[in-house]
Amino acid sequence: MEPCFFNTIKSQPSWVLFLFTLGCFSILKFSLAVLRWVYVSFLRPGKNLKKYGSWALVTGPTDGIGKSFAFELGRKGLNLVLVGRNPDKLKDVSDSIKAKYGKIETKNVVVDFSGDLDEGVKRIGEAIDGLDVGVLINNVGISYPYARFFHEVDEQLLRNLIKVNVEGTTKVTQALLPGMLKRKKGAIVNIGSGAAIVIPSDPLYAVYAATKAYIDQFSRSLYVEYKDRGIDVQCQVPLYVATKMASIKRSSFFVPSTDGYARAAMRWIGYDPRCTPYWPHSLLWGLAHSLPEFVIDAWRLRFCLGIRKRGQLKDSRKKE
């Protein structure tokens, strides 16, 4: 005899059977998504980054996420090309990594991404000549000093946002790709932002969010272009991390330290074309996508107006 449950289902009209089947499919799909999230967040092993090459290049390595990336790559045994604008800070980071991890070679390249970028990229090309740079971390980036309406963004800030965030990442990637193509292997990690991807809008940070949206589409397109040629391109999407740029001093469960973020990020290199490596951020991402866009827009506008007010007050005090 068949179970009564199935006899009852079979006796129902066809539309009930359709809804039942659809419900089962939805539950199965959700269950598989949860299982995959658990696997990639906690169980999937990180790749051996040395398989891409013995050198890694990191832009913006003297502070924040970039500095933590540099130390994590050094811990993995990769030699490092560190690219930043302050030679003293570059030397400090380089010396600290070599002191901590021993036989790590480093090269420091001074580049001001808001200055003569063509000359800077030329220096990068000269520094990496003959090196098998297999990992590129495009971390350099700037944001607003504090939230402001678009008409309040001055010409210098506007120029620097586009030049550093868009042109810098684009040209450094273009400089390293030929070597990766020649060796038929490489991993490119571009640091995006939840401001461009997780939330529907980022009012009062419009240009910053737009530059990070460029990074996302740029990365995805390169992923498709080069995935069959041994090069893994990825856009990592952090939400808030305790950095100077975010003006957050203390880490928490949903706001990791730069070291905490970098440790999580290393395990994702070479996998998905877009990811948010720090798993609590993925919970916030899921929450954001479950809410109506107008709700998030209204919350974000109020939040950023508060940042703008505090920033203006701080500026006025400096002028007194």
Side-chain angles (χ1 to χ4, degrees):
M1 292 181 61
E2 292 180 310
C4 293
F5 173 76
F6 289 103
N7 286 333
T8 302
I9 289 296
K10 288 181 178 180
S11 67
Q12 299 300 316
S14 58
W15 64 269
V16 174
L17 291 174
F18 172 76
L19 290 178
F20 174 77
T21 303
L22 184 63
C24 290
F25 177 77
S26 298
I27 292 172
L28 177 62
K29 184 179 179 181
F30 176 76
S31 299
L32 291 174
V34 170
L35 288 173
R36 183 185 185 280
W37 177 80
V38 170
Y39 172 70
V40 300
S41 298
F42 305 107
L43 303 176
R44 184 175 66 183
K47 292 191 176 184
N48 177 12
L49 300 184
K50 283 188 174 181
K51 76 171 189 175
Y52 293 113
S54 60
W55 287 80
L57 187 146
V58 184
T59 64
T62 59
D63 200 5
I65 292 174
K67 183 176 181 179
S68 295
F69 258 116
F71 272 86
E72 283 297 314
L73 290 165
R75 187 171 68 86
K76 296 288 185 181
L78 275 77
N79 302 311
L80 295 167
V81 180
L82 305 176
V83 182
R85 65 178 180 177
N86 188 314
D88 294 331
K89 288 185 176 181
L90 285 172
K91 186 177 185 305
D92 287 344
V93 172
S94 177
D95 290 346
S96 297
I97 291 174
K98 286 189 286 187
K100 188 170 185 178
Y101 299 118
K103 297 180 181 179
I104 298 295
E105 294 184 58
T106 62
K107 284 194 173 187
N108 300 336
V109 185
V110 178
V111 176
D112 182 354
F113 283 87
S114 64
D116 189 343
L117 189 53
D118 289 336
E119 178 60 30
V121 171
K122 181 181 177 182
R123 286 198 293 272
I124 292 174
E126 293 170 350
I128 66 174
D129 185 36
L131 304 181
D132 60 334
V133 180
V135 178
L136 166 61
I137 309 294
N138 273 315
N139 163 77
V140 69
I142 62 169
S143 184
Y144 294 20
Y146 58 84
R148 59 193 66 187
F149 287 97
F150 177 59
H151 72 272
E152 297 171 335
V153 176
D154 61 78
E155 183 63 30
Q156 183 177 359
L157 177 57
L158 178 63
R159 180 184 66 84
N160 288 345
L161 282 162
I162 296 172
K163 190 168 186 180
V164 176
N165 295 1
V166 173
E167 194 175 352
T169 293
T170 304
K171 289 193 171 182
V172 171
T173 302
Q174 193 173 44
L176 268 71
L177 259 174
M180 293 180 175
L181 286 170
K182 184 177 180 180
R183 294 184 295 273
K184 297 181 181 180
K185 57 184 179 179
I188 298 172
V189 176
N190 298 324
I191 305 301
S193 172
I197 299 157
V198 176
I199 55 179
S201 69
D202 198 18
L204 280 67
Y205 287 96
V207 181
Y208 171 77
T211 63
K212 290 302 183 178
Y214 169 89
I215 295 300
D216 180 54
Q217 186 60 258
F218 176 65
S219 302
R220 179 71 187 200
S221 298
L222 293 189
Y223 165 79
V224 176
E225 286 184 40
Y226 295 105
K227 66 179 180 178
D228 294 330
R229 304 182 72 174
I231 300 172
D232 298 317
V233 184
Q234 179 181 81
C235 178
Q236 292 197 359
V237 186
L239 278 70
Y240 279 121
V241 178
T243 63
K244 290 180 182 178
M245 189 169 79
S247 299
I248 301 175
K249 295 180 180 179
R250 293 184 179 180
S251 61
S252 63
F253 180 72
F254 285 112
V255 182
S257 66
T258 58
D259 291 342
Y261 176 83
R263 282 194 299 271
M266 297 293 288
R267 293 181 54 249
W268 285 77
I269 295 176
Y271 287 109
D272 310 63
R274 178 203 283 166
C275 65
T276 182
Y278 183 66
W279 71 265
H281 283 175
S282 63
L283 300 180
L284 296 176
W285 193 334
L287 175 62
H289 279 228
S290 69
L291 297 173
E293 289 188 355
F294 75 88
V295 172
I296 301 175
D297 285 343
W299 162 77
R300 188 63 183 172
L301 179 59
R302 288 195 301 271
F303 182 80
C304 293
L305 283 171
I307 296 175
R308 175 177 177 267
K309 185 176 181 180
R310 291 190 294 273
Q312 288 178 325
L313 183 60
K314 187 176 181 180
D315 274 356
S316 65
R317 288 173 176 170
K318 288 181 180 178
K319 294 175 182 178
E320 290 177 355

